[in-house]
C-alpha cells in the first residue's frame, strides 16, 4: 500500500477514518510526509503535516466499531449499539454505487469504508466528531459530545437522554419537515443550555431547517460587534435557518450566566452589526407564556413568533435603531384565551409587499427589523373568530409589543327544540 511509496504526490486521500490505538500507535513516520521523522500520533498532527496538499482535510479518527476483528461489517445503531463515527461521514464517488455486499450506497452521505449500513436511532457516545449526520429515529446522548463541524438531524430524527451530563457542544442542525416541537440539546464547556423551538409555520419544503449553537461569553466579549454591555448574559446562541420558518423559542441559560443582578434583562437579538432589544411583556415573569420575557429566576427567556434567526441573548435594554424596531402583540378570544393559527398581515411603512405572521399556541405574533418613524397597518384574520375591529394603525416610534386584538364573543348555539321554535307548534 501507501507505506511503500517513495512520495505521495499522486495519492488522493480524504474522507477516511484514520484510527490507531495501542502504545506504539502512529499515523506516520514517513520522511516524505514528515521531514522530522517524528511519530504523528494524532489526526490533527497528520493533517498539519500534509496541509496544503488537500489530503485528509475531511478525514476523521474514531473506532469504526467493526463487528469483530474477522468481520468488518459495522452493526447499525438500534438503541443498544452506539453510532459508529463513520456513519454518513463519507462523500459520494462517481461510479461507486454499492458496497462490498452489493448494498446500495447513499448518493449524498455514504458511510466511510466498505460497508454501507443504516441506523435506526442508537446511542451517540461522548467524544469529538467532525461532521455527523444522524439517521432517522431517536438518538440517545451518552455523555458530552463535541462537534467541530455540524451535527445534522434529518426528518424523523430526535434526541433522548439530554441533560446536564449529556449534551452537544457545537452546531446542531435539524430539518423542519413539519410544524411542532424541536429540541436542541446544546451547551458549552461550562454547562447545558438547550433551546426548545416550537415551529408554527414552515415553507413546506425539504430545505426548511434550523441550526443552533451555544456560545459561552457575552456578545462582544471575544471582539464581536456590536459589543454589548459586559453585564449582559454571559451566553448567546447563534441560530441560522434555511427556507422559511416561524417559531416560538425558549432558551435556557445557567444561573452563573447572569451578572449585574441589579440590571433589568431584556431579550436582545443581534442581526449582522445591529442589535435590538425586546421589552418584557408586562406579565413577565409571572406568566409562563408571556412574550417577550426574560425570567432570571427561572433561567430562561422566551420569544413567540420569531422569523428572524440570528444571534440571541439577554441584556440591559437598548435604544431602538432606525432599522431595528419590532412590532408585536397577542390575539385573544373574548374570554382572554390565546387564539392560535391566526394570520396577521402587516402593510404600509414603505414595505414593498405585505408581511405575514401566524400566531403560535400562546397567541403571540411579532414583526422584526422595521423602520421607526413610519406608519404601519396591522390586520388579523382567523377562521374560527370574527373581530369587530380587525385592523389597527400603528405609529412605530419605538418597540411595540402590545398591538393586541380581541375577538368577538362566539354566538351561543340556538336551541331548535319545538318548545323554543316559534314556527313549530308546541306538542
Amino acid at each position: 500500500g501507501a507505506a511503500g511509496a517513495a512520495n505521495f504526490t499522486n495519492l488522493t486521500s480524504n474522507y477516511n477514518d484514520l484510527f490507531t490505538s495501542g502504545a506504539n500507535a502512529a499515523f506516520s513516520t514517513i520522511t516524505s510526509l514528515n521531514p522530522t521523522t517524528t511519530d504523528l500520533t494524532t489526526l490533527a498532527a497528520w493533517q498539519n503535516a500534509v496541509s496544503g496538499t488537500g489530503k485528509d482535510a475531511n478525514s476523521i479518527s474514531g473506532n469504526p466499531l467493526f463487528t469483530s476483528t474477522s468481520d468488518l461489517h459495522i452493526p447499525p445503531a438500534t438503541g443498544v449499539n452506539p453510532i459508529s463515527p463513520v456513519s454518513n461521514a463519507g462523500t459520494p464517488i462517481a461510479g461507486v454505487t454499492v458496497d462490498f455486499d452489493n448494498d446500495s450506497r447513499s448518493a449524498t452521505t455514504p458511510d466511510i469504508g466498505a460497508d454501507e449500513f443504516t441506523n435506526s436511532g442508537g446511542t451517540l457516545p461522548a467524544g469529538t466528531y467532525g461532521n455527523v449526520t444522524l439517521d432517522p429515529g431517536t438518538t440517545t446522548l451518552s455523555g458530552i459530545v463535541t462537534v467541530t463541524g455540524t451535527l445534522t438531524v434529518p426528518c424523523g430524527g430526535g434526541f433522548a437522554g439530554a441533560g446536564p451530563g449529556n449534551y452537544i457542544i457545537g452546531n446542531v442542525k435539524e430539518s423542519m419537515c413539519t410544524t411542532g416541537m424541536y429540541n436542541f440539546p446544546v451547551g458549552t464547556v461550562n454547562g447545558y443550555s438547550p433551546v426548545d423551538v416550537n415551529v408554527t409555520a414552515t415553507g413546506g419544503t425539504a430545505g426548511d431547517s434550523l441550526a443552533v449553537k451555544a456560545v459561552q461569553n457575552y456578545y462582544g466579549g471575544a471582539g464581536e460587534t456590536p459589543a454589548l454591555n459586559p453585564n449582559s448574559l454571559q451566553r448567546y446562541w447563534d441560530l441560522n435557518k434555511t427556507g422559511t420558518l416561524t417559531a416560538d423559542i425558549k432558551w435556557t441559560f445557567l444561573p452563573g450566566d447572569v451578572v449585574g443582578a441589579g440590571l433589568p434583562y431584556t431579550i436582545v437579538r443581534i442581526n449582522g452589526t445591529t442589535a435590538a432589544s425586546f421589552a418584557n411583556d408586562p406579565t413577565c415573569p409571572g406568566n409562563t407564556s408571556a412574550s417577550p420575557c426574560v425570567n432570571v429566576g427561572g433561567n430562561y427567556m422566551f420569544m413567540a413568533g420569531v422569523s428572524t434567526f440570528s444571534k440571541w441573548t439577554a441584556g440591559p435594554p437598548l435604544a431602538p435603531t432606525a432599522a431595528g424596531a419590532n412590532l408585536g402583540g397577542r390575539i385573544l378570544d373574548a374570554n382572554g384565551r390565546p387564539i392560535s393559527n391566526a394570520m396577521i398581515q402587516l402593510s404600509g411603512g414603505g414595505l414593498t409587499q405585505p408581511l405575514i405572521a401566524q400566531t403560535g399556541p400562546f397567541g403571540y405574533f411579532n414583526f422584526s427589523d422595521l423602520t421607526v418613524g413610519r406608519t404601519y397597518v396591522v390586520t388579523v384574520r382567523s377562521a374560527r373568530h370574527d373581530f369587530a375591529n380587525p385592523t389597527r394603525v400603528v405609529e412605530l416610534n419605538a418597540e411595540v409589543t402590545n398591538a393586541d386584538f380581541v375577538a368577538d364573543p362566539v354566538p351561543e348555539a340556538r336551541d331548535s327544540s319545538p318548545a323554543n321554535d316559534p314556527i313549530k307548534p308546541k306538542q
Side-chain angles (χ1 to χ4, degrees):
N7 61 66
F8 290 81
T9 58
N10 63 343
L11 175 66
T12 298
S13 179
N14 205 357
Y15 291 94
N16 298 304
D17 181 16
L18 305 175
F19 176 70
T20 65
S21 62
N24 299 313
F27 287 105
S28 171
T29 57
I30 304 300
T31 303
S32 61
L33 276 183
N34 180 23
T36 66
T37 69
T38 302
D39 284 345
L40 304 178
T41 58
T42 66
L43 174 60
W46 171 272
Q47 290 170 325
N48 183 63
V50 297
S51 62
T53 68
K55 296 178 174 61
D56 288 316
N58 298 290
S59 293
I60 63 173
S61 180
N63 187 340
L65 305 176
F66 293 130
T67 299
S68 69
T69 56
S70 59
D71 184 350
L72 301 186
H73 289 91
I74 297 175
T78 59
V80 178
N81 299 322
I83 297 174
S84 169
V86 306
S87 174
N88 298 325
T91 190
I93 298 176
V96 180
T97 58
V98 296
D99 72 352
F100 68 166
D101 294 316
N102 210 37
D103 295 331
S104 297
R105 281 204 178 274
S106 168
T108 54
T109 55
D111 304 319
I112 289 177
D115 185 27
E116 187 78 5
F117 56 95
T118 300
N119 298 317
S120 177
T123 300
L124 184 61
T128 300
Y129 300 78
N131 290 309
V132 180
T133 300
L134 303 181
D135 286 285
T138 300
T139 297
T140 300
L141 298 175
S142 178
I144 296 175
V145 173
T146 299
V147 178
T148 58
T150 298
L151 187 149
T152 301
V153 183
C155 294
F159 296 100
N166 304 297
Y167 61 90
I168 300 165
I169 299 174
N171 200 43
V172 177
K173 179 181 179 182
E174 298 193 33
S175 296
M176 306 294 185
C177 301
T178 184
T179 56
M181 184 64 73
Y182 295 82
N183 305 112
F184 291 81
V186 296
T188 57
V189 172
N190 72 336
Y192 177 52
S193 52
V195 178
D196 298 319
V197 179
N198 180 33
V199 176
T200 57
T202 72
T205 68
D208 297 331
S209 66
L210 181 65
V212 175
K213 180 180 180 180
V215 181
Q216 181 182 327
N217 207 341
Y218 75 93
Y219 194 84
E224 302 94 340
T225 56
L228 300 183
N229 188 317
N231 284 324
S232 296
L233 195 74
Q234 302 297 293
R235 180 174 306 274
Y236 68 89
W237 295 264
D238 192 359
L239 279 60
N240 291 281
K241 73 171 180 178
T242 54
T244 301
L245 295 173
T246 301
D248 304 334
I249 304 179
K250 179 182 178 181
W251 299 262
T252 300
F253 48 83
L254 303 175
D257 291 336
V258 178
V259 296
L263 292 172
Y265 267 4
T266 60
I267 293 179
V268 177
R269 188 197 65 235
I270 303 95
N271 191 12
T273 58
T274 301
S277 60
F278 300 77
N280 287 330
D281 183 271
T283 63
C284 170
N287 179 5
T288 57
S289 62
S291 171
C293 181
V294 180
N295 188 330
V296 173
N299 301 314
Y300 74 84
M301 59 190 209
F302 176 76
M303 183 80 169
V306 175
S307 57
T308 299
F309 296 85
S310 49
K311 297 174 177 67
W312 294 79
T313 186
L318 303 173
T321 62
N326 302 277
L327 191 162
R330 200 176 190 194
I331 312 301
L332 303 170
D333 66 15
N335 296 311
R337 294 185 293 253
I339 298 175
S340 61
N341 299 318
M343 302 303 295
I344 315 300
Q345 176 178 289
L346 183 72
S347 59
L351 297 172
T352 57
Q353 60 183 16
L355 302 178
I356 303 295
Q358 183 177 26
T359 58
F362 302 123
Y364 288 101
F365 70 92
N366 182 72
F367 297 98
S368 57
D369 285 333
L370 300 176
T371 303
V372 297
R374 296 188 178 181
T375 302
Y376 295 88
V377 179
V378 187
T379 304
V380 62
R381 184 175 70 255
S382 171
R384 297 177 290 116
H385 298 273
D386 294 323
F387 296 82
N389 299 298
T391 299
R392 292 186 57 169
V393 177
V394 178
E395 282 285 345
L396 189 66
N397 295 313
E399 300 285 344
V400 172
T401 60
N402 60 350
D404 303 336
F405 291 85
V406 177
D408 299 338
V410 177
E412 294 184 4
R414 178 173 173 268
D415 186 350
S416 59
S417 63
N420 295 291
D421 193 323
I423 298 176
K424 294 182 179 179
K426 295 182 175 60
Q427 300 296 322

